Amino acid sequence: DAGVIQSPRHEVTEMGQEVTLRCKPISGHDYLFWYRQTMMRGLELLIYFNNNVPIDDSGMPEDRFSAKMPNASFSTLKIQPSEPRDSAVYFCASSLLRSRQETQYFGPGTRLLVL
Amino acid sequence: QKEVEQNSGPLSVPEGAIASLNCTYSDRGSQSFFWYRQYSGKSPELIMFIYSNGDKEDGRFTAQLNKASQYVSLLIRDSQPSDSATYLCAANTGNQFYFGTGTSLTVIP
């Protein structure tokens, strides 16, 4: 398996522009997570899906952020409009079951810089 | 109070020594605990998990869990320069994963 795939790997944009991050989870995994990581705040969970349904979006910082999962093999995280404080590494992770032994598998991340 | 707390470090140990990384959690309902290693510029990768009280050993790594004290630790024996990374502790509450902010470890040759 190719693992979790994220695109783009790097994104540089200007303040006010729309940014769309993409994720393809590991085939067969029924949980998908979006995280943001910064030096100051560490790894923060933004939202997660189970069977394509958003379960908990309490980590989404504000209305400028939205996430969708139209099918089991694709998810997007959109920021509109983007701001410099959104600069971070955004990780997507997937997991098979919520059993206690089950871990998450992380994608390579998207490094976002908003100027 | 954060769900999972770690000492951010940095922690420096000489090559060949034992590195001890610690983590506390606040939710007594947490079911399992994970240690991830993250190299600079890379994504987190799982080292090991533990869900029963006591020790769990895997090669040079030993995870320790004390549910009464809500404490998890990771010991790295015979530390190598390649172990230099940030180590993330995570708790699975059954509904969500919570990550600590990570401890930076440097192994000095």
Side-chain angles (χ1 to χ4, degrees):
Chain A
D1 198 316
V4 176
I5 299 172
Q6 291 186 247
S7 65
R9 295 291 302 275
H10 299 87
E11 178 81 25
V12 180
T13 190
E14 293 185 344
M15 182 174 63
Q17 296 298 307
E18 176 181 304
V19 175
T20 299
L21 311 180
R22 298 173 177 80
C23 175
K24 176 179 169 55
I26 292 173
S27 178
H29 282 192
D30 56 354
Y31 282 88
L32 183 140
F33 305 81
W34 281 102
Y35 292 91
R36 177 173 68 177
Q37 187 175 41
T38 61
M39 289 293 292
M40 290 298 295
R41 300 174 67 89
L43 196 64
E44 300 175 279
L45 177 65
L46 301 177
I47 185 172
Y48 75 94
F49 296 82
N50 178 215
N51 292 322
N52 313 336
V53 177
I55 302 301
D56 184 350
D57 65 354
S58 59
M60 297 285 263
E62 35 192 287
D63 292 345
R64 298 185 295 107
F65 286 70
S66 62
K68 295 181 179 180
M69 192 166 186
N71 57 63
S73 60
F74 183 67
S75 178
T76 59
L77 178 67
K78 184 178 293 186
I79 308 173
Q80 180 184 22
S82 58
E83 296 183 2
R85 59 192 168 119
D86 301 331
S87 298
V89 180
Y90 290 81
F91 288 106
C92 175
S94 70
S95 182
L96 181 57
L97 289 171
R98 196 53 72 95
S99 68
R100 57 183 180 176
Q101 295 98 320
E102 191 56 43
T103 186
Q104 300 182 24
Y105 297 86
F106 283 79
T110 295
R111 283 153 182 76
L112 173 65
L113 177 61
V114 182
L115 301 174
Chain B
Q1 180 186 9
K2 293 186 176 181
E3 296 285 346
V4 176
E5 302 219 35
Q6 294 180 254
N7 187 330
S8 62
L11 174 65
S12 294
V13 299
E15 183 174 355
I18 296 175
S20 178
L21 305 165
N22 305 313
C23 172
T24 59
Y25 61 96
S26 61
D27 187 345
R28 287 192 173 273
S30 298
Q31 299 178 6
S32 54
F33 306 88
F34 301 81
W35 283 101
Y36 292 81
R37 177 176 60 200
Q38 187 175 23
Y39 292 114
S40 180
K42 301 295 185 182
S43 56
E45 56 179 339
L46 179 70
I47 298 175
M48 62 190 306
F49 68 89
I50 186 169
Y51 56 82
S52 297
N53 269 331
D55 295 359
K56 180 180 179 182
E57 187 175 316
D58 184 0
R60 295 187 296 112
F61 299 95
T62 299
Q64 299 174 319
L65 173 60
N66 184 325
K67 290 186 178 181
S69 301
Q70 296 177 243
Y71 178 88
V72 189
S73 65
L74 179 70
L75 302 177
I76 307 174
R77 291 182 300 281
D78 187 24
S79 296
Q80 301 296 309
S82 59
D83 295 326
S84 298
T86 295
Y87 289 80
L88 300 169
C89 172
N92 179 353
T93 64
N95 295 313
Q96 201 174 115
F97 276 74
Y98 292 98
F99 282 84
T101 53
T103 299
S104 175
L105 171 66
T106 299
V107 180
I108 304 168

mmCIF file of all heavy atoms in Angstrom, chain A residues 75-101:
data_model
loop_
_atom_site.group_PDB
_atom_site.id
_atom_site.type_symbol
_atom_site.label_atom_id
_atom_site.label_comp_id
_atom_site.label_asym_id
_atom_site.label_seq_id
_atom_site.Cartn_x
_atom_site.Cartn_y
_atom_site.Cartn_z
ATOM 1 N N SER A 75 -10.415 13.237 0.812
ATOM 2 C CA SER A 75 -10.861 14.286 1.723
ATOM 3 C C SER A 75 -10.138 15.585 1.390
ATOM 4 O O SER A 75 -9.012 15.568 0.887
ATOM 5 C CB SER A 75 -10.579 13.907 3.174
ATOM 6 O OG SER A 75 -10.964 14.938 4.066
ATOM 7 N N THR A 76 -10.802 16.702 1.663
ATOM 8 C CA THR A 76 -10.187 18.011 1.457
ATOM 9 C C THR A 76 -10.323 18.853 2.711
ATOM 10 O O THR A 76 -11.286 18.721 3.476
ATOM 11 C CB THR A 76 -10.845 18.771 0.290
ATOM 12 O OG1 THR A 76 -12.235 18.947 0.569
ATOM 13 C CG2 THR A 76 -10.670 18.035 -1.014
ATOM 14 N N LEU A 77 -9.331 19.700 2.907
ATOM 15 C CA LEU A 77 -9.363 20.724 3.954
ATOM 16 C C LEU A 77 -9.168 22.055 3.240
ATOM 17 O O LEU A 77 -8.182 22.245 2.547
ATOM 18 C CB LEU A 77 -8.258 20.494 4.978
ATOM 19 C CG LEU A 77 -8.152 21.534 6.096
ATOM 20 C CD1 LEU A 77 -9.370 21.468 7.019
ATOM 21 C CD2 LEU A 77 -6.873 21.322 6.914
ATOM 22 N N LYS A 78 -10.136 22.951 3.421
ATOM 23 C CA LYS A 78 -10.100 24.227 2.716
ATOM 24 C C LYS A 78 -9.998 25.371 3.707
ATOM 25 O O LYS A 78 -10.655 25.362 4.763
ATOM 26 C CB LYS A 78 -11.350 24.382 1.851
ATOM 27 C CG LYS A 78 -11.377 25.634 0.997
ATOM 28 C CD LYS A 78 -12.625 25.695 0.127
ATOM 29 C CE LYS A 78 -12.634 24.614 -0.918
ATOM 30 N NZ LYS A 78 -13.780 24.748 -1.855
ATOM 31 N N ILE A 79 -9.179 26.344 3.357
ATOM 32 C CA ILE A 79 -9.047 27.560 4.157
ATOM 33 C C ILE A 79 -9.380 28.733 3.237
ATOM 34 O O ILE A 79 -8.754 28.924 2.202
ATOM 35 C CB ILE A 79 -7.618 27.741 4.707
ATOM 36 C CG1 ILE A 79 -7.150 26.477 5.434
ATOM 37 C CG2 ILE A 79 -7.579 28.929 5.664
ATOM 38 C CD1 ILE A 79 -5.685 26.517 5.853
ATOM 39 N N GLN A 80 -10.394 29.481 3.635
ATOM 40 C CA GLN A 80 -10.817 30.603 2.815
ATOM 41 C C GLN A 80 -11.456 31.690 3.680
ATOM 42 O O GLN A 80 -12.473 31.412 4.320
ATOM 43 C CB GLN A 80 -11.839 30.134 1.761
ATOM 44 C CG GLN A 80 -12.331 31.242 0.852
ATOM 45 C CD GLN A 80 -13.404 30.774 -0.107
ATOM 46 O OE1 GLN A 80 -14.074 29.776 0.117
ATOM 47 N NE2 GLN A 80 -13.576 31.515 -1.189
ATOM 48 N N PRO A 81 -10.887 32.882 3.717
ATOM 49 C CA PRO A 81 -9.598 33.276 3.148
ATOM 50 C C PRO A 81 -8.446 32.896 4.069
ATOM 51 O O PRO A 81 -8.626 32.800 5.285
ATOM 52 C CB PRO A 81 -9.738 34.808 3.076
ATOM 53 C CG PRO A 81 -10.599 35.136 4.259
ATOM 54 C CD PRO A 81 -11.570 33.982 4.393
ATOM 55 N N SER A 82 -7.296 32.650 3.518
ATOM 56 C CA SER A 82 -6.148 32.272 4.323
ATOM 57 C C SER A 82 -5.513 33.507 4.983
ATOM 58 O O SER A 82 -5.623 34.628 4.473
ATOM 59 C CB SER A 82 -5.107 31.542 3.465
ATOM 60 O OG SER A 82 -4.697 32.366 2.389
ATOM 61 N N GLU A 83 -4.865 33.268 6.121
ATOM 62 C CA GLU A 83 -4.190 34.320 6.872
ATOM 63 C C GLU A 83 -2.786 33.819 7.242
ATOM 64 O O GLU A 83 -2.570 32.609 7.331
ATOM 65 C CB GLU A 83 -4.970 34.669 8.138
ATOM 66 C CG GLU A 83 -6.346 35.249 7.863
ATOM 67 C CD GLU A 83 -7.078 35.657 9.135
ATOM 68 O OE1 GLU A 83 -6.494 35.527 10.225
ATOM 69 O OE2 GLU A 83 -8.235 36.117 9.021
ATOM 70 N N PRO A 84 -1.857 34.745 7.485
ATOM 71 C CA PRO A 84 -0.486 34.327 7.838
ATOM 72 C C PRO A 84 -0.428 33.374 9.025
ATOM 73 O O PRO A 84 0.405 32.473 9.059
ATOM 74 C CB PRO A 84 0.209 35.663 8.132
ATOM 75 C CG PRO A 84 -0.497 36.647 7.248
ATOM 76 C CD PRO A 84 -1.936 36.199 7.255
ATOM 77 N N ARG A 85 -1.319 33.534 9.996
ATOM 78 C CA ARG A 85 -1.296 32.660 11.184
ATOM 79 C C ARG A 85 -1.737 31.237 10.868
ATOM 80 O O ARG A 85 -1.662 30.355 11.735
ATOM 81 C CB ARG A 85 -2.185 33.231 12.289
ATOM 82 C CG ARG A 85 -3.642 33.424 11.921
ATOM 83 C CD ARG A 85 -4.335 34.269 12.980
ATOM 84 N NE ARG A 85 -5.646 34.714 12.540
ATOM 85 C CZ ARG A 85 -6.772 34.383 13.175
ATOM 86 N NH1 ARG A 85 -6.722 33.642 14.256
ATOM 87 N NH2 ARG A 85 -7.931 34.826 12.739
ATOM 88 N N ASP A 86 -2.190 30.992 9.650
ATOM 89 C CA ASP A 86 -2.538 29.634 9.233
ATOM 90 C C ASP A 86 -1.305 28.854 8.781
ATOM 91 O O ASP A 86 -1.392 27.650 8.508
ATOM 92 C CB ASP A 86 -3.557 29.665 8.088
ATOM 93 C CG ASP A 86 -4.844 30.381 8.464
ATOM 94 O OD1 ASP A 86 -5.207 30.369 9.661
ATOM 95 O OD2 ASP A 86 -5.476 30.978 7.563
ATOM 96 N N SER A 87 -0.190 29.517 8.676
ATOM 97 C CA SER A 87 1.049 28.854 8.250
ATOM 98 C C SER A 87 1.406 27.743 9.236
ATOM 99 O O SER A 87 1.519 27.976 10.445
ATOM 100 C CB SER A 87 2.190 29.876 8.165
ATOM 101 O OG SER A 87 1.901 30.870 7.202
ATOM 102 N N ALA A 88 1.554 26.543 8.728
ATOM 103 C CA ALA A 88 1.792 25.371 9.568
ATOM 104 C C ALA A 88 1.998 24.177 8.650
ATOM 105 O O ALA A 88 1.924 24.289 7.426
ATOM 106 C CB ALA A 88 0.591 25.115 10.486
ATOM 107 N N VAL A 89 2.253 23.034 9.280
ATOM 108 C CA VAL A 89 2.235 21.772 8.541
ATOM 109 C C VAL A 89 0.906 21.094 8.838
ATOM 110 O O VAL A 89 0.527 20.941 10.000
ATOM 111 C CB VAL A 89 3.398 20.847 8.953
ATOM 112 C CG1 VAL A 89 3.335 19.552 8.148
ATOM 113 C CG2 VAL A 89 4.736 21.536 8.737
ATOM 114 N N TYR A 90 0.211 20.710 7.802
ATOM 115 C CA TYR A 90 -1.087 20.058 7.945
ATOM 116 C C TYR A 90 -0.927 18.573 7.598
ATOM 117 O O TYR A 90 -0.492 18.217 6.505
ATOM 118 C CB TYR A 90 -2.118 20.726 7.029
ATOM 119 C CG TYR A 90 -2.481 22.117 7.496
ATOM 120 C CD1 TYR A 90 -1.653 23.207 7.209
ATOM 121 C CD2 TYR A 90 -3.616 22.340 8.266
ATOM 122 C CE1 TYR A 90 -1.960 24.482 7.660
ATOM 123 C CE2 TYR A 90 -3.940 23.616 8.721
ATOM 124 C CZ TYR A 90 -3.099 24.676 8.416
ATOM 125 O OH TYR A 90 -3.408 25.936 8.881
ATOM 126 N N PHE A 91 -1.270 17.743 8.565
ATOM 127 C CA PHE A 91 -1.165 16.294 8.375
ATOM 128 C C PHE A 91 -2.552 15.687 8.256
ATOM 129 O O PHE A 91 -3.491 16.077 8.950
ATOM 130 C CB PHE A 91 -0.463 15.633 9.564
ATOM 131 C CG PHE A 91 1.013 15.890 9.646
ATOM 132 C CD1 PHE A 91 1.524 16.756 10.593
ATOM 133 C CD2 PHE A 91 1.887 15.242 8.786
ATOM 134 C CE1 PHE A 91 2.890 16.986 10.685
ATOM 135 C CE2 PHE A 91 3.250 15.471 8.870
ATOM 136 C CZ PHE A 91 3.750 16.347 9.818
ATOM 137 N N CYS A 92 -2.635 14.700 7.405
ATOM 138 C CA CYS A 92 -3.797 13.835 7.329
ATOM 139 C C CYS A 92 -3.356 12.468 7.848
ATOM 140 O O CYS A 92 -2.216 12.036 7.599
ATOM 141 C CB CYS A 92 -4.268 13.752 5.877
ATOM 142 S SG CYS A 92 -5.608 12.608 5.567
ATOM 143 N N ALA A 93 -4.220 11.798 8.584
ATOM 144 C CA ALA A 93 -3.908 10.467 9.095
ATOM 145 C C ALA A 93 -5.138 9.594 8.940
ATOM 146 O O ALA A 93 -6.270 10.082 8.969
ATOM 147 C CB ALA A 93 -3.478 10.525 10.556
ATOM 148 N N SER A 94 -4.921 8.294 8.797
ATOM 149 C CA SER A 94 -6.073 7.388 8.721
ATOM 150 C C SER A 94 -5.864 6.206 9.657
ATOM 151 O O SER A 94 -4.742 5.888 10.067
ATOM 152 C CB SER A 94 -6.316 6.921 7.286
ATOM 153 O OG SER A 94 -5.300 6.040 6.826
ATOM 154 N N SER A 95 -6.973 5.571 9.995
ATOM 155 C CA SER A 95 -6.958 4.464 10.942
ATOM 156 C C SER A 95 -8.049 3.483 10.574
ATOM 157 O O SER A 95 -9.063 3.867 9.973
ATOM 158 C CB SER A 95 -7.175 5.012 12.363
ATOM 159 O OG SER A 95 -7.127 3.997 13.329
ATOM 160 N N LEU A 96 -7.835 2.210 10.952
ATOM 161 C CA LEU A 96 -8.787 1.180 10.537
ATOM 162 C C LEU A 96 -9.986 1.090 11.465
ATOM 163 O O LEU A 96 -11.121 1.164 11.031
ATOM 164 C CB LEU A 96 -8.071 -0.168 10.474
ATOM 165 C CG LEU A 96 -8.919 -1.355 10.020
ATOM 166 C CD1 LEU A 96 -9.525 -1.101 8.660
ATOM 167 C CD2 LEU A 96 -8.102 -2.623 10.010
ATOM 168 N N LEU A 97 -9.717 0.920 12.754
ATOM 169 C CA LEU A 97 -10.784 0.736 13.730
ATOM 170 C C LEU A 97 -10.437 1.504 14.987
ATOM 171 O O LEU A 97 -9.285 1.773 15.267
ATOM 172 C CB LEU A 97 -10.946 -0.736 14.092
ATOM 173 C CG LEU A 97 -11.543 -1.671 13.056
ATOM 174 C CD1 LEU A 97 -11.406 -3.113 13.526
ATOM 175 C CD2 LEU A 97 -13.004 -1.345 12.834
ATOM 176 N N ARG A 98 -11.447 1.774 15.770
ATOM 177 C CA ARG A 98 -11.165 2.458 17.023
ATOM 178 C C ARG A 98 -10.962 1.432 18.136
ATOM 179 O O ARG A 98 -11.497 1.578 19.222
ATOM 180 C CB ARG A 98 -12.283 3.436 17.357
ATOM 181 C CG ARG A 98 -11.880 4.446 18.410
ATOM 182 C CD ARG A 98 -10.616 5.152 18.034
ATOM 183 N NE ARG A 98 -10.811 6.079 16.961
ATOM 184 C CZ ARG A 98 -11.049 7.379 17.114
ATOM 185 N NH1 ARG A 98 -11.129 7.886 18.323
ATOM 186 N NH2 ARG A 98 -11.207 8.159 16.088
ATOM 187 N N SER A 99 -10.208 0.376 17.854
ATOM 188 C CA SER A 99 -9.828 -0.537 18.933
ATOM 189 C C SER A 99 -8.627 0.048 19.652
ATOM 190 O O SER A 99 -7.943 0.902 19.113
ATOM 191 C CB SER A 99 -9.468 -1.911 18.364
ATOM 192 O OG SER A 99 -8.270 -1.820 17.605
ATOM 193 N N ARG A 100 -8.369 -0.413 20.831
ATOM 194 C CA ARG A 100 -7.347 0.255 21.621
ATOM 195 C C ARG A 100 -5.942 0.025 21.093
ATOM 196 O O ARG A 100 -5.028 0.763 21.413
ATOM 197 C CB ARG A 100 -7.435 -0.176 23.079
ATOM 198 C CG ARG A 100 -7.319 -1.670 23.319
ATOM 199 C CD ARG A 100 -7.501 -1.961 24.797
ATOM 200 N NE ARG A 100 -7.403 -3.383 25.084
ATOM 201 C CZ ARG A 100 -7.450 -3.882 26.311
ATOM 202 N NH1 ARG A 100 -7.592 -3.071 27.343
ATOM 203 N NH2 ARG A 100 -7.354 -5.170 26.506
ATOM 204 N N GLN A 101 -5.770 -1.015 20.267
ATOM 205 C CA GLN A 101 -4.437 -1.234 19.710
ATOM 206 C C GLN A 101 -4.217 -0.488 18.405
ATOM 207 O O GLN A 101 -3.098 -0.431 17.899
ATOM 208 C CB GLN A 101 -4.204 -2.726 19.423
ATOM 209 C CG GLN A 101 -4.192 -3.611 20.643
ATOM 210 C CD GLN A 101 -5.539 -4.274 20.834
ATOM 211 O OE1 GLN A 101 -6.579 -3.646 20.635
ATOM 212 N NE2 GLN A 101 -5.539 -5.523 21.221
#
